[in-house]
């Protein structure tokens, strides 16, 4: 992801997301259409259908003085995700305050080939993340079991909703989730439990497995942590998922000063606390992963390659996290 968030109101109107094929709508009108869709969220929240479609019509963009194209909103498995939102005491009114009734929204774009978009809410508490077609297929396939599991205690990041905007014949898929990093952050780590290729570059702010030179003492919470981690890994393995990460933020100060209702946070000293969550779960073992594993074995230790079958990946991930989060 680009290192600096760009305020949406200062973006160039001709900036286009890069998602593999020509895009016919610029980012600003895309977000205006997102705002229109989100403004309806509390009204349509109770719709129980698996895939409920709503016509959004035209939305006026005051920056370009143009109307966005005809758009359709599809809510995927809203009944399941509504159950998750209720279990997490999610308030629909927050969507209006954080995304709709404000111009102070952050924008970022991933640095990879996909060029997927991220929109950060006004207080940066929430994140709208664009996902690929393959990720949407995975999430909708596991949605009922996923929501049932995450409704309970879980380190897996909760997706509050998943929806599709169809604009000019092109589909844009988004999820809404918490931003794990609220507070005075000192360090952040993305851990997969492998070592091959897991060293961050000098210009990257997020460190990886090989950069971690410390452990995090959980004290009496360590036993509970181990049980919950095992439960989450069991589910991720059952769903055939891999390549997920444990995202860890190390913060200065007292965690009581920051209200983080969902992301797990632990005070580890008088001056530091950590927040952590399992993220990026929407990857399955495909032919591409098989090829990646085949070619990387010539340059790396086969056991330390990230691309592993779900059971092997999960076991290695669990063992590594139990070493990182010490007693």
């Amino acid at each position: 992801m680009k290192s600096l968030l760009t305020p949406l109101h200062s973006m160039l109107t001709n900036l286009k997301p890069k998602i593999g094929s020509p895009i016919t709508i610029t980012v600003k009108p895309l977000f205006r259409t997102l705002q229109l869709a989100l403004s309806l969220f509390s009204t349509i929240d109770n719709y129980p259908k698996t895939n409920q479609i709503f016509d959004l019509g035209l939305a006026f963009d005051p920056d370009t003085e143009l109307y966005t194209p005809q758009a359709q909103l599809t809510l995927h498995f809203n009944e399941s995700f509504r159950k998750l939102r209720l279990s997490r005491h999610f308030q629909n009114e927050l969507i209006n305050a954080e995304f709709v009734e404000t111009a102070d929204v952050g924008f970022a774009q991933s640095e990879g080939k996909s060029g997927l978009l991220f929109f950060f809410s006004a207080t940066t508490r929430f994140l709208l993340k664009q996902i690929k077609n393959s990720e949407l297929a995975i999430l909708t396939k596991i949605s009922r079991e996923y929501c049932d599991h995450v409704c309970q205690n879980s380190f897996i990041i909760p997706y509050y909703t998943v929806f599709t905007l169809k604009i000019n014949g092109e589909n844009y898929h988004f999820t809404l989730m918490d931003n794990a990093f609220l507070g005075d952050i000192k360090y952040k780590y993305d851990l997969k439990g492998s070592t091959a290729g897991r060293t961050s570059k000098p210009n990257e702010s997020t460190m990886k497995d090989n950069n971690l030179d410390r452990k995090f003492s959980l004290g009496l919470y360590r036993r509970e942590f181990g049980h919950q981690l095992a439960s989450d890994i069991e589910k991720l393995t059952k769903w055939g998922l891999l390549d997920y990460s444990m995202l860890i933020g190390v913060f200065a100060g007292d965690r009581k000063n920051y209200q983080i209702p969902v992301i797990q946070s632990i005070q580890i000293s008088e001056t530091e606390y950590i927040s952590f969550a399992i993220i990026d779960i929407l990857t399955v073992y495909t032919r591409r992963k098989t090829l990646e594993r085949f070619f990387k074995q010539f340059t790396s230790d086969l056991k330390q390659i990230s691309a592993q079958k779900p059971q092997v990946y999960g076991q290695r991930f669990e063992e590594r996290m139990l070493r990182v989060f010490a007693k």
Side-chain angles (χ1 to χ4, degrees):
M1 189 186 302
K2 292 180 179 179
S3 57
L4 296 177
L5 296 182
T6 305
L8 198 66
H9 57 74
S10 67
M11 288 164 43
L12 297 175
T13 57
N14 64 350
L15 179 61
K16 295 181 179 180
K18 306 170 185 176
I19 57 174
S21 59
I23 303 300
T24 57
I25 183 170
T26 59
V27 172
K28 275 191 174 181
L30 172 60
F31 184 72
R32 300 302 185 199
T33 310
L34 272 171
Q35 284 185 308
L36 177 61
L38 293 171
S39 70
L40 301 175
F41 192 81
S42 59
T43 305
I44 62 181
D45 183 36
N46 291 323
Y47 280 80
K49 290 185 179 180
T50 298
N51 289 296
Q52 183 71 42
I53 300 176
F54 302 89
D55 287 320
L56 299 182
L58 300 176
F60 182 71
D61 181 357
D63 293 316
T64 61
E65 297 185 351
L66 296 173
Y67 285 90
T68 61
Q70 184 78 21
Q72 282 186 333
L73 165 68
T74 302
L75 281 178
H76 300 286
F77 290 89
N78 186 51
E79 186 175 14
S80 296
F81 288 99
R82 182 174 181 271
K83 178 181 176 182
L84 189 156
R85 291 192 295 273
L86 290 173
S87 73
R88 299 288 180 148
H89 306 290
F90 183 87
Q91 298 176 339
N92 291 333
E93 294 77 12
L94 288 174
I95 295 180
N96 281 335
E98 293 280 351
F99 286 104
V100 180
E101 299 170 355
T102 178
D104 190 19
V105 175
F107 161 85
Q109 191 170 17
S110 66
E111 295 178 339
K113 293 181 180 179
S114 65
L116 297 177
L117 302 176
F118 300 79
F119 294 102
F120 292 81
S121 68
T123 64
T124 70
R125 177 178 174 179
F126 298 109
L127 168 66
L128 271 174
K129 179 182 178 182
Q130 186 183 12
I131 60 174
K132 296 178 288 187
N133 292 338
S134 59
E135 293 174 318
L136 174 67
I138 294 167
L139 184 54
T140 53
K141 181 179 179 180
I142 67 171
S143 60
R144 288 191 174 91
E145 286 193 38
Y146 164 81
C147 290
D148 286 342
H149 178 73
V150 180
C151 276
Q152 307 168 39
N153 291 330
S154 177
F155 298 148
I156 300 173
I157 195 79
Y159 298 113
Y160 290 121
T161 187
V162 56
F163 61 90
T164 296
L165 283 179
K166 186 174 184 179
I167 306 172
N168 275 356
E170 294 197 51
N171 290 322
Y172 301 81
H173 313 300
F174 286 92
T175 59
L176 175 66
M177 65 186 73
D178 289 284
N179 178 13
F181 293 147
L182 290 177
D184 185 12
I185 190 166
K186 297 169 62 178
Y187 312 105
K188 52 184 175 179
Y189 299 92
D190 181 296
L191 307 180
K192 292 182 180 291
S194 58
T195 58
R198 297 298 298 164
T199 303
S200 61
K201 298 176 182 178
N203 62 337
E204 291 179 330
S205 59
T206 301
M207 293 180 281
K208 300 179 181 178
D209 297 73
N210 295 334
N211 303 106
L212 183 64
D213 58 359
R214 62 181 294 184
K215 294 183 179 181
F216 303 106
S217 177
L218 301 182
L220 296 176
Y221 179 68
R222 175 58 162 65
R223 180 186 293 270
E224 182 180 343
F225 171 86
H227 289 318
Q228 185 57 60
L229 179 66
S231 175
D232 287 337
I233 298 303
E234 180 183 2
K235 287 295 184 181
L236 292 169
T237 302
K238 177 186 176 183
W239 299 332
L241 305 177
L242 63 144
D243 219 22
Y244 40 85
S245 301
M246 180 70 80
L247 191 65
I248 305 173
V250 182
F251 299 84
D254 191 331
R255 61 186 285 264
K256 295 179 181 178
N257 295 330
Y258 298 95
Q259 298 299 317
I260 308 175
V262 175
I263 304 302
Q264 183 67 56
S265 59
I266 301 291
Q267 194 80 33
I268 57 174
S269 71
E270 292 184 358
T271 59
E272 283 186 334
Y273 71 93
I274 59 172
S275 292
F276 54 90
I278 298 175
I279 65 165
D280 295 339
I281 67 169
L282 302 178
T283 300
V284 295
Y285 196 79
T286 60
R287 184 178 180 182
R288 174 177 290 184
K289 287 294 180 182
T290 303
L291 291 173
E292 177 185 337
R293 176 179 167 82
F294 174 77
F295 286 111
K296 284 188 175 181
Q297 68 178 325
F298 298 110
T299 58
S300 304
D301 181 351
L302 190 60
K303 293 182 179 180
Q304 293 303 323
I305 295 173
S306 180
Q308 303 283 349
K309 291 185 177 180
Q311 186 171 359
V312 176
Y313 188 94
Q315 181 178 353
R316 184 183 63 186
F317 182 88
E318 183 177 356
E319 291 173 354
R320 172 62 170 159
M321 294 310 113
L322 289 176
R323 292 195 299 271
V324 170
F325 293 90
K327 295 181 180 179

